[in-house]
């Protein structure tokens, strides 16, 4: 198109045949960012990547720290994204290993971005899971920080507690389980069992509106989800709320969802996903719902009265900067609004403190950054709430009488902060190998191969008999010879 | 049995290093009394361990070492019951992890009152009996924070450094009465404050220490027993650091 400015070129996928196609990412005169590409068989295609070209460019310019995977499973043969395992080109180690433990799900969400299979459902046997776990722990140098169990609906796995127990025995620090929460709300024994094993629940929670719920999830489940959250809170189960944002449907509710998270003690994180057009439901979901990362940040600013704005977020140093945006908030235990970390820490310091982990962990960088912040606020004579909250936190962590055990201190520190992650998944229309190369979230298979989650959702999962009654075949040109860019 | 029948008072004896001191001293044959300030359950457990270590039933006193009335009552009671005091270990201490910017006057006073004024009050009360007998030993429990260049809360490091001065001055002042005064400065141990420190702080210590590990409370307590015994009768004004060689 004339008047469009080329931002970069990349390889994407044809939205119809899923073959690799060259793509151009351009800024339009209206200040938006679009991906334009053409498939020899299926013609020209375009998708909006962002409504703010300046934000897109500035964010994309932040180069993550190189941290290649410790183990390469496949040499480059067909080119990204067709050699996953990871391949020799992959530039980021896995920070969030995801294990799909079941193909069963009792919902059929219109926005579901994976493929599930309920007839002859797959449930990963514990011995198979143990092998996956063993390899993950070895890859992590003996100490695995985090594992996420997903599905389907993981609570339908008949031996879920056994799998979580295996994680605990392997010393995994955080075991999170994705769930829609409907089963947990009805099964106090399962919930108690998970609480006893200190599992964490990643609870999908998209809306307070029953009509929107039906539109996104195909059910009216708001009351059950709130009930589930209440039970999780009562049991002290660390919880992540996962709202999927769609433009014009529930994006105006993000502030209310964040407010719910801030009011509910057990909620540690909110992880906002942008709707992605992949999988059994998402592929055919209404495209008017597509929302970009920066739009979500803007909606958050609008609906929280400025509590959090785009400048309060930083990318993850462990991923492509367009994949994750992260904000941390210091919570006031006596009530009152929380304070975003960026109001007392430089964004660069928060970014640096996030290095090596997907979540903020205690470490020398964070400790020094917080010390510097405290000294600076104090030296400036700043009577800020931030200084008061930091003061309270330190005195909670290190009471003068009896020192807390480390686990107690970590717990207290975790309770004093909440985080908001915005995670933008890719689908075939928005696929960009530049982002895939740097993915740190991988679906881990029994044979040890690791497939970045977006690649898995878009390309790999529907080829597997575990998840598809009739697995699809790879396209004849998938990963085949490339053609030069032809769009523009 | 290095301390057979020695009458020993250990402040802050209910847990952590203090608990190791009372049990180790009991195992070495001492008659043990200890103070504690807050946690009754911990004190009861320490008393049980003293007896299990073969010691006579310990005498336990609840109160703050910074409270002159508690100090006087404790020492007077022991003097009346035991007829004197051979060993005082000033172990009671508090700390807070606070940067100078957040360190209020009340924080400073709390740490100084317990760690320094408490040692002064206890020592002065005990010295009356030791000087009268022309024998005795006062052991200050310092900390490597006052001996090495490490990051430590300023008020805590200052309080432990004050004990160095107190040790030096008193050793010179009361040596002519046959009373010895020494200081034992442990490194990071597997009890007490270290258990609340972030893991990376512990890891840093272990990486720097030639012995490559944290200290064990019992190792420090054994050294304390030696310093308080007659085997170290020529040792006074000593500042001994037991920190794995940091």
């Amino acid at each position: 198109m004339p008047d469009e400015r080329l931002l970069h070129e990349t390889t994407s996928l044809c939205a119809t045949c899923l073959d690799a196609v060259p793509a151009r990412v351009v800024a339009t005169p209206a200040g938006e960012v679009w991906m334009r590409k053409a498939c020899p068989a299926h013609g020209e295609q375009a998708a909006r990547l962002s409504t703010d070209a300046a934000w897109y460019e500035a964010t994309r310019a932040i180069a993550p720290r190189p941290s290649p995977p410790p183990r390469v499973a496949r040499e480059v043969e067909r080119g990204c994204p067709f050699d996953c395992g990871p391949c020799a080109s992959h530039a980021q180690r896995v920070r969030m290993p995801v294990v799909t433990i079941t193909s069963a799900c009792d919902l059929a969400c219109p926005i579901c971005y994976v493929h599930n299979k309920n007839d002859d459902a797959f449930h990963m046997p514990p011995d198979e899971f143990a092998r996956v776990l063993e390899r993950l722990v070895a890859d992590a140098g003996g100490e695995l920080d985090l594992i996420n169990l997903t599905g389907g609906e993981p609570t339908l796995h008949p031996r879920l507690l056994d799998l979580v127990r295996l994680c605990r025995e392997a010393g995994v620090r955080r075991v999170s389980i994705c769930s829609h929460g409907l089963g947990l709300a009805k099964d106090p024994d399962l919930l108690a069992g998970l609480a006893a094993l200190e599992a964490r629940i990643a609870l999908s929670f998209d809306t307070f509106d029953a009509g929107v719920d039906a539109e996104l999830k195909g059910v009216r489940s708001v009351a059950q989800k709130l009930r589930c959250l209440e039970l999780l809170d009562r049991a002290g189960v660390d919880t992540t709320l996962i709202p999927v944002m769609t433009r014009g449907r529930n994006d105006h509710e993000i502030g209310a969802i964040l407010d719910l998270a801030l009011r509910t003690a057990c909620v540690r994180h909110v992880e906002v996903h942008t709707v992605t057009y992949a999988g059994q439901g998402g592929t055919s979901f209404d495209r008017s719902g597509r929302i970009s990362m920066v739009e979500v940040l803007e909606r958050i600013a609008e609906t929280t009265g400025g509590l959090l704005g785009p400048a309060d977020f930083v990318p993850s140093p462990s991923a492509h900067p367009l994949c994750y945006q992260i904000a941390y908030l210091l919570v006031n235990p006596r009530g009152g609004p929380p304070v975003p970390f960026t109001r007392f820490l430089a964004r660069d310091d928060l970014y640096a403190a996030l290095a090596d982990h997907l979540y903020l962990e205690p470490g020398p960088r964070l400790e020094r950054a917080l010390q510097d912040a405290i000294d600076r606020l104090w030296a400036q004579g700043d009577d800020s709430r931030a200084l008061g909250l930091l003061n309270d936190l330190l005195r909670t962590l290190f009471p003068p009488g009896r020192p807390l055990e480390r686990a107690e201190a970590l717990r207290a520190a975790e309770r004093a902060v909440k985080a908001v992650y915005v995670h933008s998944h890719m689908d075939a229309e928005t696929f960009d190998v530049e982002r895939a190369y740097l993915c740190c979230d991988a679906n881990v298979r029994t044979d040890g191969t690791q497939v970045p989650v977006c690649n898995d959702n878009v390309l790999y999962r529907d080829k597997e008999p575990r998840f598809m009654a009739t697995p699809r075949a790879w396209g004849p040109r998938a990963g085949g010879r490339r053609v030069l860019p032809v769009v523009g | 049995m290095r301390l057979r029948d020695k009458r020993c008072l250990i402040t802050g004896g209910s847990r952590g290093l203090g608990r190791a001191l009372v049990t180790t001293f009991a195992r070495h044959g001492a008659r043990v009394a200890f103070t504690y300030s807050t946690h009754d359950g911990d004190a009861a457990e320490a008393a049980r361990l003293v007896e299990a270590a073969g010691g006579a039933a310990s005498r336990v006193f609840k109160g703050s070492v910074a409270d002159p009335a508690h100090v006087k009552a404790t020492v007077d009671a022991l003097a009346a019951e035991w007829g004197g005091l051979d060993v005082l270990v000033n172990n009671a201490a508090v700390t807070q992890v606070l940067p100078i910017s957040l360190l209020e006057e009340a924080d400073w006073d709390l740490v100084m009152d317990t760690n320094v004024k408490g040692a002064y009050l206890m020592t002065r009360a005990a010295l009356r009996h030791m000087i009268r007998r022309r024998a005795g030993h006062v052991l200050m429990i310092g900390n490597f924070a006052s001996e090495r260049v490490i990051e430590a809360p300023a008020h805590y490091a200052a309080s432990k450094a004050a004990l160095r001065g107190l040790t030096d001055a008193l050793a010179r002042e009361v040596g002519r009465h046959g009373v010895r005064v020494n200081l034992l400065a442990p490194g990071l141990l597997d009890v007490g404050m270290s258990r609340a420190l972030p893991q990376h702080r512990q890891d840093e210590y272990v990486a720097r220490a030639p012995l490559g590990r944290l200290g064990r409370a019992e190792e420090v307590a054994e050294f304390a027993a030696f310093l308080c015994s007659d085997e170290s009768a020529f040792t006074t004004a000593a500042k001994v650091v037991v920190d794995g060689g940091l």
Side-chain angles (χ1 to χ4, degrees):
Chain A
M1 297 269 188
D3 301 329
E4 288 186 340
R5 182 166 55 89
L6 178 67
L7 299 183
H8 63 99
E9 293 178 315
T10 187
T11 298
S12 183
L13 300 170
C14 168
T16 303
C17 64
L18 302 181
D19 282 350
V21 294
R24 291 162 58 87
V25 176
V26 298
T28 68
E32 295 187 333
V33 177
W34 283 74
M35 175 178 277
R36 301 197 186 283
K37 55 194 172 184
C39 171
H42 300 100
E44 293 192 357
Q45 300 164 28
R48 185 174 57 211
L49 300 183
S50 176
T51 50
D52 185 337
W55 182 90
Y56 181 95
E57 283 189 273
T59 303
R60 180 174 170 266
I62 300 169
R65 249 168 31 125
S67 182
R71 178 174 61 79
V72 168
R74 291 176 67 176
E75 291 306 316
V76 176
E77 183 188 348
R78 296 174 180 275
C80 188
F82 301 106
D83 297 317
C84 292
C87 77
S89 294
H90 201 71
Q92 184 57 252
R93 64 190 309 142
V94 174
R95 305 290 185 191
M96 168 73 92
V98 178
V99 183
T100 306
I101 60 169
T102 181
S103 71
C105 186
D106 48 0
L107 294 183
C109 303
I111 57 168
C112 180
Y113 56 78
V114 297
H115 291 278
N116 295 316
K117 186 181 77 169
N118 283 307
D119 293 338
D120 189 25
F122 158 71
H123 299 300
M124 185 177 281
D127 60 336
E128 187 178 327
F129 181 76
R131 290 199 297 278
V132 174
L133 195 56
E134 187 179 2
R135 195 183 290 260
L136 279 173
V137 172
D139 283 351
E143 289 185 14
L144 186 59
D145 186 44
L146 179 66
I147 192 169
N148 176 257
L149 310 186
T150 187
E153 168 56 36
T155 59
L156 296 178
H157 192 295
R159 299 189 62 184
L160 176 61
L161 291 177
D162 290 333
L163 303 191
V164 177
R165 203 169 288 117
L166 285 170
C167 295
R168 285 279 162 246
E169 288 165 5
V172 183
R173 284 188 53 217
R174 294 187 178 103
V175 184
S176 73
I177 299 160
C178 292
S179 178
H180 53 47
L182 307 189
L184 286 172
K186 290 186 295 195
D187 189 344
D189 291 342
L190 179 61
L191 196 143
L194 291 171
L197 290 165
E198 296 185 355
R200 297 170 181 235
I201 297 297
L203 178 68
S204 67
F205 192 98
D206 306 314
T207 180
F208 293 95
D209 184 313
V212 174
D213 197 27
E215 202 175 351
L216 302 181
K217 291 291 171 70
V219 288
R220 292 174 186 267
S221 60
V222 176
Q224 289 158 279
K225 283 173 183 284
L226 287 171
R227 171 71 180 149
C228 180
L229 184 60
E230 186 185 329
L231 294 173
L232 291 168
D233 194 44
R234 200 176 297 163
V237 175
D238 285 340
T239 301
T240 298
L241 290 186
I242 302 193
V244 176
M245 277 300 111
T246 56
R247 195 184 211 193
R249 288 177 178 77
N250 63 340
D251 54 339
H252 65 286
E253 293 188 76
I254 182 62
I257 294 171
L258 291 178
D259 183 57
L260 174 67
L262 291 170
R263 283 188 284 111
T264 309
C266 72
V267 177
R268 307 264 67 78
H269 304 108
V270 176
E271 183 163 327
V272 183
H273 290 182
T274 56
V275 66
T276 183
Y277 296 93
Q280 63 186 26
T283 305
S284 52
F285 193 72
D286 177 9
R287 293 305 192 264
S288 71
R290 187 183 290 288
I291 191 166
S292 65
M293 177 83 90
V294 72
E295 286 175 278
V296 173
L297 301 184
E298 289 166 352
R299 288 300 94 74
I300 288 173
E302 291 162 12
T303 58
T304 60
L307 172 72
L308 269 177
D312 293 314
F313 287 81
V314 298
S316 167
S318 299
H320 191 283
L322 293 169
C323 293
Y324 276 104
Q325 288 285 314
I326 303 167
Y328 271 80
L329 299 118
L330 198 55
V331 175
N332 186 343
R334 290 185 293 273
V339 179
F341 273 36
T342 45
R343 309 292 167 91
F344 54 85
L345 279 186
R347 292 179 81 239
D348 287 350
D349 289 339
L350 178 57
Y351 181 78
L354 280 160
D356 305 327
H357 298 278
L358 198 50
Y359 299 105
L360 207 51
E361 295 282 345
R365 282 195 195 96
L366 180 61
E367 194 174 304
R368 178 57 71 198
L370 289 174
Q371 281 176 350
D372 289 348
I374 289 169
D375 289 348
R376 191 175 55 251
L377 291 170
W378 175 69
Q380 289 167 350
D382 192 332
D383 188 23
S384 70
R385 287 191 303 117
L387 187 59
L389 292 181
L390 289 165
N391 192 356
D392 290 346
L393 176 59
L394 266 181
R395 289 172 189 276
T396 303
L397 296 180
F398 301 103
R402 178 185 194 139
L404 300 182
E405 294 287 330
R406 186 174 301 111
E408 282 180 285
L410 259 178
R411 191 97 184 138
E414 284 192 339
R415 298 259 161 188
V417 297
K418 302 219 181 203
V420 180
Y421 282 63
V422 183
H423 188 183
S424 174
H425 285 108
M426 297 185 290
D427 48 44
E429 291 159 33
T430 58
F431 196 87
D432 179 348
V433 291
E434 178 184 288
R435 290 174 60 184
Y437 277 127
L438 288 164
C439 182
C440 65
D441 298 352
N443 208 305
V444 183
R445 288 169 160 66
T446 312
D447 64 1
T449 55
Q450 302 172 346
V451 181
V453 288
C454 291
N455 303 15
D456 196 55
N457 296 340
V458 175
L459 286 166
Y460 286 75
R461 183 149 162 157
D462 64 2
K463 313 295 188 296
E464 290 196 51
R466 284 180 166 184
F467 303 109
M468 296 288 280
T470 310
R472 293 176 182 155
W474 288 99
R477 293 182 300 107
R481 193 173 164 203
R482 313 280 169 79
V483 291
L484 292 171
V486 290
V487 255
Chain B
M1 300 288 265
R2 288 196 164 107
L3 300 171
R4 182 186 297 278
D5 294 333
K6 283 198 182 294
R7 300 160 296 184
C8 302
L9 170 61
I10 297 163
T11 65
S14 64
R15 57 198 167 85
L17 176 59
R19 183 180 287 184
L21 287 166
V22 298
T23 52
T24 301
F25 277 39
R27 194 158 32 78
H28 280 287
R31 298 164 72 182
V32 172
F34 69 86
T35 69
Y36 73 102
S37 64
T38 312
H39 301 287
D40 297 337
D42 290 339
E45 175 63 8
R48 191 190 65 76
L49 290 171
V50 166
E51 285 195 53
S58 53
R59 292 285 283 116
V60 183
F61 299 90
K62 182 175 183 177
S64 166
V65 290
D67 173 7
H70 161 72
V71 170
K72 183 173 186 311
T74 299
V75 175
D76 285 354
L78 288 177
E81 188 174 329
W82 287 349
L85 202 58
D86 299 308
V87 171
L88 168 68
V89 182
N90 284 309
N91 172 67
V94 293
T95 188
Q96 275 176 301
V97 178
L98 286 175
I100 189 71
S101 46
L102 298 180
L103 211 164
E104 301 294 341
E105 188 177 347
D107 303 315
W108 178 272
D109 287 347
L110 172 70
V111 167
M112 286 297 169
D113 281 356
T114 307
N115 300 6
V116 184
K117 182 180 169 188
Y120 144 73
L121 289 173
M122 272 293 178
T123 303
R124 185 163 180 267
L127 279 174
R128 290 186 70 186
H129 302 281
M130 293 176 177
I131 289 172
R132 193 180 303 146
R133 285 186 55 248
R134 301 192 62 77
H137 182 236
V138 177
L139 180 65
M140 311 285 183
I141 300 298
N143 187 273
F144 73 124
S146 66
E147 312 296 317
R148 312 283 195 227
V149 180
I150 61 156
E151 283 191 41
H155 55 342
Y156 180 72
S159 73
K160 291 300 185 179
L163 294 184
R164 294 188 105 242
L166 188 60
T167 300
D168 265 334
L170 278 180
R172 276 155 185 78
E173 189 175 336
V174 300
R176 68 185 192 282
H177 300 302
V179 178
R180 300 186 293 120
V181 184
N182 291 298
L183 179 138
L184 179 57
L188 204 56
L189 304 181
D190 58 0
V191 294
M193 196 63 215
S194 70
R195 300 179 71 164
L197 289 177
Q199 185 63 44
H200 68 89
R201 283 292 188 100
Q202 265 198 27
D203 294 345
E204 188 184 347
Y205 184 94
V206 168
R208 285 190 188 179
L211 292 183
R213 63 175 174 84
L214 300 183
R216 291 188 279 274
E218 291 71 23
E219 294 170 320
V220 177
E222 283 292 345
F223 207 98
F226 167 73
L227 282 175
C228 294
S229 74
D230 294 337
E231 293 169 85
S232 65
F234 196 53
T235 304
T236 194
K239 273 77 68 181
V240 184
V241 181
V242 181
D243 66 353
L246 196 70

